[in-house]
Amino acid sequence: MRIDPFRAFVGWLLAAFSVPCLAVTPGEFQVSAQIEAGCLVNAGIPADGADLGDLGILDFGTHSSLSTATVQASLIRNAGVVLSCTPGTELAMQVDGGQNFNGNRRLRLDADTLLSYRIFRQANCTDEIPVSLDLQIDTTNSSDNVVIPIHGCVVLPGNAEPGTYQDTLVVTVTW
């Protein structure tokens, strides 16, 4: 058998400079994202347990120390705190008893002068908000600017000491 030198040289050349064959093998992987209902405070996600800041003021106004009127007030929101939720998000709030709680919420003038008040979900002083009990907040109608429903009533005693009576309540919002 005779070996053709040209063919041997071409065979050797191809073997020396050949690139190994690469196999193309398809594969796949999954891509997913889970989107959950939730809320934003001032267009951001607050850290768990973060303080929302000053929600506003419940101002009963100025009255005579001799008045026996029943005075109503609604929470005047701090425009700097905006709560937005996915429509239908299960949002709940709790309101503590305040700094002067002793069986009921009380405004304080000084160490000995207190004036009881109550807070409610409705402006007509119905549906009282109990101390530290979860209450649902509707997010279906105002999901872009959720309103925290807090209203108050105080019955003036007719012999109140003149001065500014105050209390601070803590509202905890969960979703």
Side-chain angles (χ1 to χ4, degrees), residues 56-68:
I57 185 168
L58 189 65
D59 185 358
F60 289 109
T62 303
H63 305 279
S64 166
S65 64
L66 302 176
S67 177
T68 57

Side-chain angles (χ1 to χ4, degrees), residues 57-129:
I57 185 168
L58 189 65
D59 185 358
F60 289 109
T62 303
H63 305 279
S64 166
S65 64
L66 302 176
S67 177
T68 57
T70 298
V71 180
Q72 298 178 1
S74 294
L75 180 67
I76 300 168
R77 290 184 27 202
N78 177 350
V81 178
V82 178
L83 180 63
S84 302
C85 297
T86 306
T89 298
E90 291 188 15
L91 181 63
M93 74 170 180
Q94 284 186 4
V95 184
D96 75 350
Q99 295 175 331
N100 309 305
F101 185 78
N102 187 10
N104 59 348
R105 291 177 174 108
R106 301 179 304 170
L107 297 163
R108 177 182 297 277
L109 175 64
D110 57 40
D112 299 322
T113 310
L114 300 159
L115 181 60
S116 293
Y117 69 99
R118 296 166 55 192
I119 60 170
F120 301 86
R121 291 177 63 120
Q122 305 297 325
N124 61 356
C125 294
T126 59
D127 197 8
E128 187 166 3
I129 299 174

Side-chain angles (χ1 to χ4, degrees), residues 30 39 58 142:
Q30 296 293 317
C39 298
L58 189 65
S142 62

Side-chain angles (χ1 to χ4, degrees), residues 1 7 11 22 38 46 48 55 58 75 78 86 98 126 145 152-153 173:
M1 166 170 180
R7 284 187 181 165
L22 298 176
D48 191 22
L55 297 179
L58 189 65
L75 180 67
N78 177 350
T86 306
T126 59
N145 196 0
C153 283
V173 180

Side-chain angles (χ1 to χ4, degrees), residues 3-23:
I3 298 178
D4 181 1
F6 178 74
R7 284 187 181 165
F9 176 74
V10 170
W12 174 83
L13 190 61
L14 288 174
F17 293 102
S18 68
V19 177
C21 290
L22 298 176

Side-chain angles (χ1 to χ4, degrees), residues 36-39 85-92 136-140 174-175:
E36 295 182 346
C39 298
C85 297
T86 306
T89 298
E90 291 188 15
L91 181 63
Q136 298 304 309
I137 299 175
D138 182 18
T139 60
T140 56
T174 56
W175 58 87

